[in-house]
Amino acid sequence: MPLDRRSGCPINLSLEVFGDRWSLIILRDMIFGGRRHFRELLNHSMEGIASNILADRLRRLLELGMLTKADDPTHKQKAIYSLTEMSIQLVPIMAQLGAWGRVWLPVSEELSIRAELLEQGGPVLWDRFMDELRHEHLGIGAQKPVGETVRAELQAAYEAVVARKTAAVTA
Amino acid sequence: MPLDRRSGCPINLSLEVFGDRWSLIILRDMIFGGRRHFRELLNHSMEGIASNILADRLRRLLELGMLTKADDPTHKQKAIYSLTEMSIQLVPIMAQLGAWGRVWLPVSEELSIRAELLEQGGPVLWDRFMDELRHEHLGIGAQKPVGETVRAELQAAYEAVVARKTAAVTA
DNA sequence: GTCACCGATCCTATCTTGCAACTGGTTTTT
DNA sequence: AAAAACCAGTTGCAAGATAGGATCGGTGAC
């Protein structure tokens, strides 16, 4: 997946960066799923990414400055991938994409609850989420975010839907 | 490009619809460039799309309900493609994509002026633009929009930048 | 010492893309 | 009336991307 620079149009250039079927999925899992390691991304991938594709995309995202990579001090072979400001600022795009998909595509209820909450929360929630990501990935903002994190809230809402649906089935 | 339905996640499904290098480019040219015919999309394509790819993507977008196709009464062989509500509602996504690209990617000045104005105008301008598109493509809203259209404004701004840059070079 | 885990890489079959030539028909120009 | 240009695509081919699975050498927990 080379960068062609077909034109200097912002939409075109954005597509050249993440206009494929995997790059945004990986970033989604890092942003909303909190994944930081290769194996986490590989084994918990809902869509079943192949290891060679994952390796290729991670390398590409590193080159593009959307991610950084560091050694994990707890395990010599583990690498920790971090978001950069560039990828943290994809949150509004993810939110819009989720909102659009929720309306027009056959989404599953439990997987769209996050998109729904993100849409309801609007830019205020997005900003709070982005600040949390900056704290987590860039070490910016000295003290921890107060109260429950946005990601934890979204995750809790997701699990509540799953629990409700399971109860409905077994009832 | 099949629809795999890898998962019911809204972001994933959105990517399965337009997570490739051409679908959004075609929709961009229809939305911001006002293109309605195959040859217009083919010959005025800034990025140089191939005719088979264009044909394939148009067919796909028709199947997905993002476009409709009708005979052109003025020419027996011409077909007119129209946006649907589904694709008109991509305007906010295009705006966010353009805003992000303008900050982080090497965009050209003249091609990013539209994104800049769209960002400045915010949701109010997006709604006005979407209403104009509904009038133009869906025949909704009896009377024509008052004053200059959003697309004409964006186009004028683009041409002003081109003119200024040309003047600067020849001066 | 064994076994699961670590981030990848290699191989192969299949799918997608880009490119150029071409099709059958229609409108415009000369 | 003949020629040229335009219309929406289609076809064939080569190159590149993807999916899936096996594999690699090193690490850490038990």
Side-chain angles (χ1 to χ4, degrees):
Chain A
M1 296 237 338
L3 264 188
D4 291 344
R5 299 274 197 96
R6 303 179 295 188
S7 83
C9 165
I11 291 177
N12 172 57
L13 288 170
S14 297
L15 281 177
E16 298 203 19
V17 168
F18 47 75
D20 74 284
R21 284 156 94 77
W22 291 111
S23 299
L24 266 194
I25 292 288
I26 293 168
L27 292 166
R28 178 204 63 185
D29 285 350
M30 291 187 68
I31 292 174
F32 298 100
R35 319 240 196 276
R36 306 292 296 266
H37 301 291
F38 189 95
R39 283 287 152 172
E40 280 180 326
L41 287 163
L42 185 67
N43 295 337
H44 302 139
S45 163
M46 226 165 10
E47 287 84 13
I49 191 169
S51 59
N52 54 347
I53 304 289
L54 176 58
D56 177 76
R57 291 304 185 278
L58 287 173
R59 190 182 327 115
R60 211 176 105 90
L61 291 170
L62 283 170
E63 279 168 15
L64 289 166
M66 310 260 296
L67 296 178
T68 57
K69 183 178 175 180
D71 291 337
D72 185 332
T74 73
H75 189 304
K76 281 188 184 169
Q77 270 184 318
K78 271 188 180 170
I80 300 181
Y81 290 92
S82 299
L83 300 170
T84 63
E85 183 61 28
M86 190 177 175
S87 46
I88 289 171
Q89 288 191 13
L90 291 177
V91 165
I93 292 178
M94 297 268 189
Q96 294 276 5
L97 226 45
W100 184 89
R102 219 164 61 76
V103 172
W104 296 104
L105 303 174
V107 298
S108 70
E109 191 188 351
E110 68 271 24
L111 289 172
S112 71
I113 182 69
R114 280 184 245 246
E116 188 177 347
L117 293 177
L118 214 57
E119 187 180 358
Q120 281 172 8
V124 172
L125 184 70
W126 306 346
D127 282 341
R128 189 152 71 86
F129 190 25
M130 287 163 70
D131 271 342
E132 288 173 14
L133 290 170
R134 285 185 194 104
H135 178 270
E136 191 180 350
H137 288 259
L138 307 177
I140 290 174
Q143 80 285 5
K144 252 192 171 171
V146 285
E148 210 180 10
T149 65
V150 174
R151 177 156 60 231
E153 281 174 36
L154 297 176
Q155 182 64 21
Y158 163 74
E159 282 163 13
V161 174
V162 171
R164 182 166 55 66
K165 289 183 77 168
T166 307
V169 167
T170 59
Chain B
M1 293 235 341
L3 264 188
D4 291 344
R5 301 275 198 97
R6 302 180 296 189
S7 83
C9 165
I11 290 177
N12 172 56
L13 288 170
S14 297
L15 282 177
E16 297 203 20
V17 169
F18 47 77
D20 72 284
R21 284 155 96 80
W22 291 112
S23 299
L24 266 193
I25 292 288
I26 293 169
L27 292 166
R28 178 203 64 187
D29 285 350
M30 292 188 67
I31 292 174
F32 297 99
R35 317 241 196 275
R36 306 290 295 265
H37 302 291
F38 188 95
R39 282 292 146 171
E40 279 181 325
L41 286 163
L42 185 66
N43 296 337
H44 302 141
S45 162
M46 225 168 7
E47 288 84 13
I49 191 170
S51 59
N52 56 345
I53 304 288
L54 177 58
D56 177 77
R57 292 304 187 278
L58 287 174
R59 189 181 328 117
R60 210 174 106 90
L61 291 171
L62 284 171
E63 280 167 15
L64 289 167
M66 310 260 296
L67 296 178
T68 58
K69 183 177 174 178
D71 290 339
D72 185 332
T74 73
H75 190 303
K76 282 187 184 168
Q77 271 185 317
K78 272 188 181 171
I80 301 181
Y81 291 92
S82 299
L83 300 171
T84 62
E85 182 62 27
M86 190 176 174
S87 47
I88 289 171
Q89 287 191 13
L90 290 177
V91 165
I93 293 178
M94 297 270 190
Q96 294 275 4
L97 226 46
W100 185 87
R102 220 164 59 76
V103 171
W104 295 104
L105 303 174
V107 298
S108 72
E109 190 187 352
E110 68 272 23
L111 289 173
S112 70
I113 182 71
R114 281 184 243 246
E116 188 177 349
L117 293 178
L118 214 57
E119 187 180 357
Q120 281 171 10
V124 173
L125 183 70
W126 306 347
D127 283 341
R128 190 152 73 84
F129 190 26
M130 287 164 69
D131 272 342
E132 289 174 13
L133 290 171
R134 286 187 192 102
H135 178 269
E136 191 180 350
H137 289 258
L138 307 178
I140 290 175
Q143 79 285 5
K144 254 191 168 169
V146 286
E148 207 178 14
T149 63
V150 173
R151 177 157 61 231
E153 280 175 35
L154 297 176
Q155 183 63 22
Y158 164 73
E159 282 163 13
V161 173
V162 172
R164 182 164 54 67
K165 287 183 79 169
T166 309
V169 167
T170 58

